[in-house]
C-alpha cells in the first residue's frame, strides 16, 4: 500500500482477495502504518485467525521478503513505477507469480473552447487533489492543457481558486491543505518548481514554501505554473506534490498528441460540450480511465488501471475480483 490514501486503501484493497477466498497479507506503508494496524485489530474481532495479517517495515526489506516468499503467488502493488518494475523482477526471480501494478501518472486535463469554462476550472483544481492529499495522488490531473482561445480565461479562474487554498495544520479548523508526507517529497516538489522556472515557466501562485505556517513541517504552497513547454521535466515527470503545470494547445489533434507524449497513461480528462468530440478525443488518449467533463471521481464498478508505465491490471471492478481467483477446468466422461 502507498502512503497517500492509507485508510481508504487499507480497507478497499483487501476486499477483492478476501471475497475471492484468499488469505491476505497487507504490507503497510513505511510512512503511514497506523491505519493498517488498526484495521488488523478490528479484523481480529470478525475474521478467522490467520486469514488477514499486516506487515510493517521498510519496503526494501519487509516488502521484498513478501514478494520473494514462495507461498505468495499473487501480488497487488500501488506505488511508483521504479518500485513496480523492481517487484516484477524480484517476483520473476522467485517463481511464477501473478503481479498487478497501479503506478504513477502525469495526467492531462484538456479544455476545449466550447466547454463550460467555470466548471472546467473548478474541476481542474479538484482533480489536482490539493485539499485531499496535497497533490500526492497518482490520479491527479497535474497537466492542464488549454486551447489557446480560452487559455487566459481558464488560467485566471484556476489561479483565483488555488491562491485561496489555506495551507496549515490539517487538525485546525479552516485548513484546506496540509503538508506533504515527508522531507523527501517536500524537496522533490520544490526542486520541480525550480526546474520549471529554469525551463521558462512562470509561477502564477505559490512557487515555494507556504507562507504563514512557521518554520516546522513540510508545507508546500499550492502552485500553478504556466508557459510550460511539453518537453520540460515539470510537464513530463510525476512530481507527486501540489504543482499544476499549464500548457496551451492550438487544436484537438495537438491536445491529444501532447497528452500522449509522456510515459504515463493512468487517467485523462476532456472538457467539451460536443459529445462526439469528447468520445473521439477519449478514444485517442493513452489512458486507462478517462473523464469527459469530470475529474477525480471514481465510479463504482468501473475498472481503474493504467497504460504504459502507469501499470498493468485493473482495480475497483469485477476484473479485480477475478484476478484473485484461479481457473480450473474439469471434464467428466462416463460410459
Amino acid at each position: 500500500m502507498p502512503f497517500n490514501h492509507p485508510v481508504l486503501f487499507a480497507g478497499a484493497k483487501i476486499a477483492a482477495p478476501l471475497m475471492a477466498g484468499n488469505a491476505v497479507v497487507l504490507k503497510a506503508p513505511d510512512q503511514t502504518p497506523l491505519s493498517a494496524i488498526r484495521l488488523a485489530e478490528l479484523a481480529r474481532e470478525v475474521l478467522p485467525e490467520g486469514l488477514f495479517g499486516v506487515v510493517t517495515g521498510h519496503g526494501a526489506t519487509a516488502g521484498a521478503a513478501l514478494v520473494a516468499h514462495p507461498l505468495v503467488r499473487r501480488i497487488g502493488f500501488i506505488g511508483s513505477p521504479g518500485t513496480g518494475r523492481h517487484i516484477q523482477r524480484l517476483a520473476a526471480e522467485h517463481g511464477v507469480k501473478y503481479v498487478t501494478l497501479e503506478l504513477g501518472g502525469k495526467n492531462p486535463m484538456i479544455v476545449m473552447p466550447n466547454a463550460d469554462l467555470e466548471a472546467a476550472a473548478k474541476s481542474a483544481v479538484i482533480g489536482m487533489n490539493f485539499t485531499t492529499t496535497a497533490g500526492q495522488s497518482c490520479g491527479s490531473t497535474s497537466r492542464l492543457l488549454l486551447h489557446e482561445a480560452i487559455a487566459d480565461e481558464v488560467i485566471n479562474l484556476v489561479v483565483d481558486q488555488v491562491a485561496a487554498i489555506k495551507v496549515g495544520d490539517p487538525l485546525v479548523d479552516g485548513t484546506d491543505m496540509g503538508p506533504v508526507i515527508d522531507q523527501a517529497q517536500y524537496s522533490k516538489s520544490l526542486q520541480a518548481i525550480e526546474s520549471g522556472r529554469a525551463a521558462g515557466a512562470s509561477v502564477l501562485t505559490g512557487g515555494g514554501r507556504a507562507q504563514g505556517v512557521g518554520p516546522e513541517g513540510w508545507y508546500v504552497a499550492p502552485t500553478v505554473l504556466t508557459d510550460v513547454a511539453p518537453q520540460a521535466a515539470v510537464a513530463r515527470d510525476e512530481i507527486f506534490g501540489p504543482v499544476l503545470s499549464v500548457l496551451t494547445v492550438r487544436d484537438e489533434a495537438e491536445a491529444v498528441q501532447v497528452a500522449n507524449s509522456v510515459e504515463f497513461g493512468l487517467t485523462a480528462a476532456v472538457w467539451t460540450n460536443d459529445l462526439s468530440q469528447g468520445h473521439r478525443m477519449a478514444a485517442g488518449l493513452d489512458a486507462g480511465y478517462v473523464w469527459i467533463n469530470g475529474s477525480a471521481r471514481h465510479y463504482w464498478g468501473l475498472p481503474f488501471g493504467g497504460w504504459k508505465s502507469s501499470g498493468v491490471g485493473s482495480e475497483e471492478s469485477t476484473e479485480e475480483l477475478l484476478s484473485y481467483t484461479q481457473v480450473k477446468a474439469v471434464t467428466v466422461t462416463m460410459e
Side-chain angles (χ1 to χ4, degrees):
M1 294 293 103
F3 68 79
N4 57 336
H5 300 287
V7 177
L8 172 65
F9 283 164
K13 300 310 174 185
I14 66 170
L18 285 174
M19 290 172 65
N22 301 282
V24 179
V25 179
L26 173 66
K27 166 59 179 69
D30 300 3
Q31 306 94 327
T32 55
L34 296 183
S35 53
I37 294 171
R38 178 57 179 150
L39 180 64
E41 293 174 342
L42 296 172
R44 291 183 63 183
E45 301 174 8
V46 294
L47 294 179
E49 184 176 353
L51 191 61
F52 171 58
V54 170
V55 172
T56 61
H58 293 295
T61 51
L66 279 174
V67 170
H69 198 287
L71 293 182
V72 177
R73 301 198 308 273
R74 172 70 173 93
I75 300 162
F77 172 74
I78 304 175
S80 71
T83 303
R85 291 192 295 270
H86 177 67
I87 286 173
Q88 286 181 313
R89 288 191 296 268
L90 185 61
E93 290 170 359
H94 290 85
V96 178
K97 301 180 183 236
Y98 189 159
V99 180
T100 56
L101 307 170
E102 199 265 83
L103 307 175
K106 192 66 176 178
N107 310 295
M109 174 185 285
I110 302 169
V111 183
M112 301 304 289
N114 58 4
D116 182 332
L117 300 186
E118 290 190 3
K122 182 178 180 181
S123 187
V125 177
I126 293 172
M128 257 305 295
N129 296 298
F130 286 114
T131 60
T132 53
T133 62
Q136 299 166 110
S137 181
C138 55
S140 294
T141 48
S142 55
R143 288 186 296 153
L144 181 57
L145 277 55
L146 303 177
H147 190 285
E148 59 185 7
I150 47 86
D152 290 343
E153 183 176 353
V154 176
I155 287 170
N156 289 336
L157 292 168
V158 168
V159 169
D160 286 347
Q161 294 175 59
V162 174
I165 295 173
K166 183 178 179 181
V167 180
D169 186 338
L171 299 180
V172 174
D173 289 342
T175 297
D176 298 315
M177 189 184 101
V180 296
I181 187 67
D182 55 21
Q183 183 177 9
Q185 206 57 45
Y186 175 82
S187 298
K188 183 179 179 182
S189 298
L190 297 186
Q191 289 167 5
I193 294 169
E194 290 309 309
S195 169
R197 279 195 177 105
S202 302
V203 177
L204 298 186
T205 188
R209 182 175 175 81
Q211 300 298 309
V213 293
E216 302 294 328
W218 310 119
Y219 293 98
V220 179
T223 297
V224 178
L225 302 176
T226 191
D227 301 321
V228 175
Q231 66 272 19
V234 75
R236 304 184 66 83
D237 299 337
E238 185 179 38
I239 299 169
F240 223 63
V243 183
L244 173 62
S245 296
V246 182
L247 302 83
T248 58
V249 294
R250 291 166 294 184
D251 53 33
E252 176 184 319
E254 185 182 17
V256 173
Q257 184 275 322
V258 172
N260 290 342
S261 65
V262 300
E263 66 171 306
F264 299 105
L266 186 56
T267 75
V270 178
W271 276 79
T272 174
N273 281 335
D274 181 342
L275 190 57
S276 294
Q277 181 183 53
H279 279 295
R280 184 171 61 247
M281 295 178 72
L285 290 168
D286 295 339
Y289 201 100
V290 181
W291 295 279
I292 298 176
N293 297 336
S295 69
R297 180 180 175 184
H298 292 203
Y299 291 86
W300 297 116
L302 285 185
F304 186 85
W307 293 12
K308 301 191 290 190
S309 291
S310 289
V312 291
S314 295
E315 301 175 332
E316 304 176 14
S317 60
T318 304
E319 288 87 346
E320 180 182 18
L321 179 63
L322 293 176
S323 76
Y324 284 97
T325 67
Q326 294 186 110
V327 175
K328 177 186 290 186
V330 177
T331 68
V332 177
T333 302
M334 298 181 65
E335 294 184 0

